[in-house]
Amino acid sequence: MVVSVNPNENSLWNTVLEMTKAAQEKNSDPLFWAVQLASTLNSAGVSLPSTHLAHLLVSHICWDNHVPIAWKFLDKALTVRVVPPFLVLAILSSRVIPNRHLHPAAYRLYMELIKQHAFSFLSLVNGPNYSKIMKSIDEVLHLSQIFGLKVCESGTLVAYVFSVVLQLLDASLDDERLLELSPENNFRWSTKPQDMEIDGLGSFNEKRTEHHERLCKANTVMAIELIGEFLRNKVTSKILCLACQNIRSLWGSFVQRLKLLIMKSTALRNSKHVTPEALLQLISDTQRVLFSECKTTSKEVHAIMASSSLISSAGQSNGTTQSSLWLPIDLFLEDAINGSQVAAYSSIEILTGLVKALQAVNGTSWLDTFLGLWIAALRLVQRERDPSEGPVPRLDSCLSMLLSITTLAVAEIIEEDESELIGETEESPNNHGQEKHAPGQRRKDLVASLQLLGDYESLLTPPQSVCSIANQAAVKAIMFVSGLTVGNGYYESVSMNDLAINYSGNMRHLIVESCIARNLLDTSAYMWSANVKGCSNQIPRNVTTQTPGWSSLMKGSPLTPSLINALIATPASSLAEIERVYEIAVNGLDDEKISAAMILCGASLVRGWSIQENTILLIIKLLSPAVPADHSGIENHLIGCAPFLYVLLVGISSVDCVQILALHGLVPLLAGALMPICEVFGSTVPSVSWTLPTGEELSSHVVFSNAFTLLLRLWRFDHPSVEQAIGDMGASVRSQLSPEYLLLVRNSMLASFGKSPKDQFKAKRFSKILTMSLGPIFLDSFPKLKFWYQQHQECIASTLSGLEHGTPVHQLVDALLNMMLRKINRSGTPLTPTTSAGTNSSGSGVEEVLVRLRLPAWDILEATPFVLDAALTACAHGRLSPRELATGLKELADFLPATLATIVSYFSAEVTRGIWKPAFMNGTDWPSPAANLSSVEQQIKKILAATGVDVPSLASGGSSPATLPLPLAALVSLTITYKASERFLVLVAPALSSLAISCPWPCMPIIASLWAQKAKRWSDFLVFSASRTVFHHSSDAVVQLLRSCFTSTLGLNSSNVCSNGGVGALLGHGFGSHYSGGISPVAPGIFYLRVHQSIRDVLFMKDEIVSLLMLSVRDIASGGLPREKLKKTKNGLRYGQVSLSAAMMRVKIAASLGASLVWMSGGSSLVQSLITETLPSWFISVHGLEQQGGECGGMVAMLGGYALAYFAVFSGSFAWGVEAESQHSKRRSMVIRAHLGFLASALDGKISLGCDGATWRAYVSGFVNLMIGCTPTWMQEVNVDVLKRLSHGLRQWKEEELALALLGIGGVGAMGAAAELIVGRGI
């Protein structure tokens, strides 16, 4: 390094150099020289220690004056501190280490100086010119460039210590010719001399004698021993731990090189002071030393938090114990298959993040985590064993959640683990190009968890509809164990009649089969999973009847009707089978294509769990057929595919299919495929028809209506305008799905796919014949769809206007009104002043109307709002009877089912405007609910009361007439008279329900009564749905339901709803009629998950949940806990150890419940509001909760702080994940930075707190502890200044280790502060 000096300084340094040479020639006393030198520099006003002098003295020695007296002078200069020792060592390392073989004595002296001075950090940190010295060290060793430090002095001390060890390690490896075996050969510091120095002066004086060789070997041993000393020393080991935590890429390379040294070094084995085993243990200890002491920061805190670990409660299985730790998974799974809305994101990703978060915060092993996940998913299926009958089936969605979604989530977790192991193995010095890698620990834990799952027999009983599939899986396992090898055709041919009556496969057989198909298990799993009732010799060895099935298809059998039916009814068992069907759908004859479409949308879609995502993607691909090579003409090529597309659309339109699509996160891709179909078929005149093989007639209107209604179900179309108009705050916490949003998500998914390691693993699971168009799609590409969507929004925002007399739209309105009323036998009467012609019932008139209506569907939809407005106005003024209105609406929906969407949109908007007179549901003009309205209202009260909700304001209808808003009466009349197929009903029914819930009481009970008269088998479902309206209108009811969720989960009441608390009390057995004579009580958790979408004000719930959490803490501390001998702590708290452990377990469960409710109710936006607004406000406010706890007041205050700490960390980890890379990382960093800033300001005294001091201290220490131990990546996103302030506040509390650990995980920017704290404490 060249050091620049000005002319005045130049003469001074020349004088110093001459003084040194003269003293060297005279062999002067080094101390006298050093004192004289210091006096000269002080007189010249040079600040000591001098960085310039350090460069000068080292340059003087290397290599013209490499003599003992010169080294003595340097040593004395270090002793009297006229030069900075660490800078001298840095300069020497750059000069001596590359020339250590030419000058072994210099290398030896350099290491001796390291021993004397490299561990004295306090004088460096507290000494003058600290920043200047560190900057000079950085310039010499290029630390900022090598270690990626943005600010040269931030973390330079850590980087320097790490660099010393790295240089010694590389030199030692090079000495023994091992460096070439290192994974990385791009040396960061030179370990060999430069060419121009080889012929230096020393090369002639120091000949390679036997003494020279011995000295070189001794130097290597000494260097290795120095590495051990750096790893052993308390201060340097902690500083190196900072490097481990924050410079991971280089640390990994360092560890690999050190392991290479440990395995191969002869010098290490010749050392008398360090052994290979000891060195290996030191590196292991160093990687965890910083945080092992952090966990003992506050021994009282540690005892409390450790007492709630899973291990301490592993032997317990009921109530608020082990299974309750996974309660958030139960809640998420139940909410995900609710079906009230279609999700735009994959449940696999959300579940994976949730499982990782719980594993981290609960501090459990992956074995326990996987077991908890499987149990939660099995409980979901068991809650659907005996459901109440209704229009929304859920069993297939639940099975897909267990056997496809959960399995894929487990696969992602295991793949992530093993990808890291593969990376480590490839860098390992022992790796010699092996292809196979041993299974990781997580995969082993998966096997162990599935083996333990066999102990939970009550959860493994399969639903009746999948018993045969479970039995086949069991038989397959038994045959493998028995050594029998058969093909898939065997299982297709064996019926349950062929099997012994004792055979009973269970859900674990299906889980194991799914895991084997996903390559998570190998076939050895059959050895421990084949334990079913029965013996192998009872298996039929000879099957005489060969039934057609998938094996027949793979052998080339043609698609006969019997084979088609068999393939539709039986799920494919392999990807190859489903690919074969796809090939037929693409290249077969027209009839074969239709048959292939029916097969793809059959059992393979719904119950082909191991290939489900591939089946869905192949179907979506088929919905966007390529332009045929021989296509010509102006007609869009999709028109020629109408029958094929229609079969696909119908096949995926069931409630379960759409829900399964949503679970896999493929709704945006489906939306992108549906929009072109809607645009093309909606723009086509229905002049051509097609005939399906079944004889069904198709038109462009039919294809369009199916595609359009399916598209609308993919976004929140069914929610009325009143919900969308709640306000900006409401919209901010509940995402409003829309066509633009779905396309945005689709484009983002496709653009980013393949860029992350996770995507690379996903790609391996996808079919190789699958290709997707990656280009972006925008709503502007579909002008007709965009126009309809704009009209839909305008209809919501304001009343209709703009219909001009004589325009094509006006003429179409006339034609549609005539078509709607063609069956009404009366003279023509204009429905509106603008209607030029009355009704005409003559045959020629009807035919003329139908001819006039041979128009594209988009044109009809444009006119439909004006038609509805005219019809509803006529009914309001008595020109059209209610029955005639309902009949006309039915005619319109029959003519073009897609108009149901506009009917829903228009009537919903008109209801919220409140300008229509009420309709009297008297049984004369409108249908009457009188027959069962009183019963329905009583059942609603009964359901609410059983759940712990008492709403006195619910008054029975009594003698007052039942009324509905006119548009709502029209809509409900249409739904109970219109015999629509399921795929159209599922569009209208949710909208009707949402609209009725938003209307005043008793609108929803009236509608439930009317529907119960039509569909008595759905009575319980309808009554339960009607009860949701209470929570839309009553905040008190919401609070009571939330309170019931807490008390039942924690087992704090004696209600018949809960027993010992836990998941069973919160979610019960699902929703169904288990008692004769009426609906059974609904567990509060199930109730909340069904109603939270109906709650008007989402924001108020976070405040209520915080209040309920703190009330629960008080109840936990004061009621029903076992009490043993009381102990008194240094803080004056009196508690028994067992009682505190039990209390802490319940507090933790209460916090996880509260966090789950906040997250599922409002997503990440509500969590953000909770952490940045609600919690700071709570701490600032005054509370008297600890006084209400009586003799447990101190314990209440302390537990309250820990409860809020868990609550905050659970909430954040659920919403944003615990990983470094997250789609929410930008929002997460902003929120955490703001919250830690609040904590730091409060600790600094800048903010006055109103809460109890014990609560505040418990919260801060608990929150920081949890972030350090569970979510360390969060800290690296926080501003370093905030971390320093918070660390300073913790040190004021004497929480030194916690303050250090906080800085230790704060990223590269906080390393310097952490290292200085380590040095300052003199650890």
Side-chain angles (χ1 to χ4, degrees), residues 149-221:
L149 305 179
K150 294 182 180 179
V151 182
C152 63
E153 64 181 275
S154 177
T156 305
L157 182 59
V158 178
Y160 169 70
V161 174
F162 192 22
S163 71
V164 172
V165 178
L166 282 174
Q167 290 179 89
L168 292 173
L169 177 59
D170 281 0
S172 302
L173 289 171
D174 187 48
D175 290 344
E176 299 193 78
R177 302 179 185 273
L178 298 175
L179 198 53
E180 292 78 5
L181 301 178
S182 174
E184 294 185 27
N185 290 321
N186 52 327
F187 313 129
R188 293 172 177 81
W189 295 278
S190 177
T191 57
K192 297 181 180 179
Q194 302 295 322
D195 293 341
M196 61 182 178
E197 294 181 349
I198 292 178
D199 296 327
L201 190 63
S203 62
F204 295 101
N205 297 331
E206 297 186 69
K207 297 183 178 179
R208 293 186 172 275
T209 61
E210 184 179 348
H211 171 73
H212 181 98
E213 293 295 333
R214 283 201 306 269
L215 183 57
C216 286
K217 291 180 180 179
N219 283 347
T220 304
V221 174

Side-chain angles (χ1 to χ4, degrees), residues 33-199:
W33 167 84
V35 171
Q36 186 181 26
L37 179 61
S39 176
T40 300
L41 294 176
N42 282 327
S43 300
V46 176
S47 176
L48 298 179
S50 169
T51 58
H52 190 95
L53 180 61
H55 285 280
L56 183 71
L57 293 180
V58 174
S59 297
H60 173 69
I61 292 175
C62 302
W63 294 101
D64 293 337
N65 292 279
H66 172 34
V67 291
I69 188 64
W71 283 94
K72 291 180 181 179
F73 283 171
L74 180 61
D75 180 49
K76 230 23 130 173
L78 292 169
T79 302
V80 299
R81 291 293 190 271
V82 293
V83 290
F86 287 88
L87 176 58
V88 169
L89 293 175
I91 301 170
L92 282 174
S93 69
S94 64
R95 304 295 297 272
V96 172
I97 291 179
N99 296 281
R100 66 190 181 283
H101 294 147
L102 296 175
H103 306 293
Y107 187 36
R108 182 64 171 233
L109 291 170
Y110 162 71
M111 289 189 289
E112 291 291 349
L113 291 176
I114 288 179
K115 279 186 176 181
Q116 294 178 30
H117 301 285
F119 299 95
S120 302
F121 295 97
L122 195 59
S123 59
L124 169 68
V125 173
N126 295 333
N129 303 326
Y130 171 57
S131 297
K132 182 179 179 182
I133 292 170
M134 297 313 297
K135 183 178 180 181
S136 298
I137 291 174
D138 179 55
E139 291 172 348
V140 171
L141 298 177
H142 311 292
L143 299 177
S144 295
Q145 178 182 349
I146 293 172
F147 293 105
L149 305 179
K150 294 182 180 179
V151 182
C152 63
E153 64 181 275
S154 177
T156 305
L157 182 59
V158 178
Y160 169 70
V161 174
F162 192 22
S163 71
V164 172
V165 178
L166 282 174
Q167 290 179 89
L168 292 173
L169 177 59
D170 281 0
S172 302
L173 289 171
D174 187 48
D175 290 344
E176 299 193 78
R177 302 179 185 273
L178 298 175
L179 198 53
E180 292 78 5
L181 301 178
S182 174
E184 294 185 27
N185 290 321
N186 52 327
F187 313 129
R188 293 172 177 81
W189 295 278
S190 177
T191 57
K192 297 181 180 179
Q194 302 295 322
D195 293 341
M196 61 182 178
E197 294 181 349
I198 292 178
D199 296 327

Side-chain angles (χ1 to χ4, degrees), residues 1248-1314:
S1248 298
L1249 301 174
C1251 66
D1252 186 272
T1255 302
W1256 171 246
R1257 180 158 187 155
Y1259 175 77
V1260 174
S1261 60
F1263 183 76
V1264 175
N1265 256 304
L1266 287 171
M1267 289 191 68
I1268 291 171
C1270 309
T1271 61
T1273 56
W1274 292 7
M1275 293 296 193
Q1276 298 179 13
E1277 301 166 353
V1278 178
N1279 185 279
V1280 175
D1281 291 336
V1282 174
L1283 295 181
K1284 289 181 178 179
R1285 289 171 54 208
L1286 185 56
S1287 175
H1288 176 75
L1290 291 171
R1291 293 200 302 275
Q1292 300 300 311
W1293 281 355
K1294 308 301 181 185
E1295 297 281 3
E1296 299 284 352
E1297 289 84 0
L1298 191 58
L1300 171 59
L1302 174 67
L1303 293 173
I1305 63 170
V1308 174
M1311 283 196 310

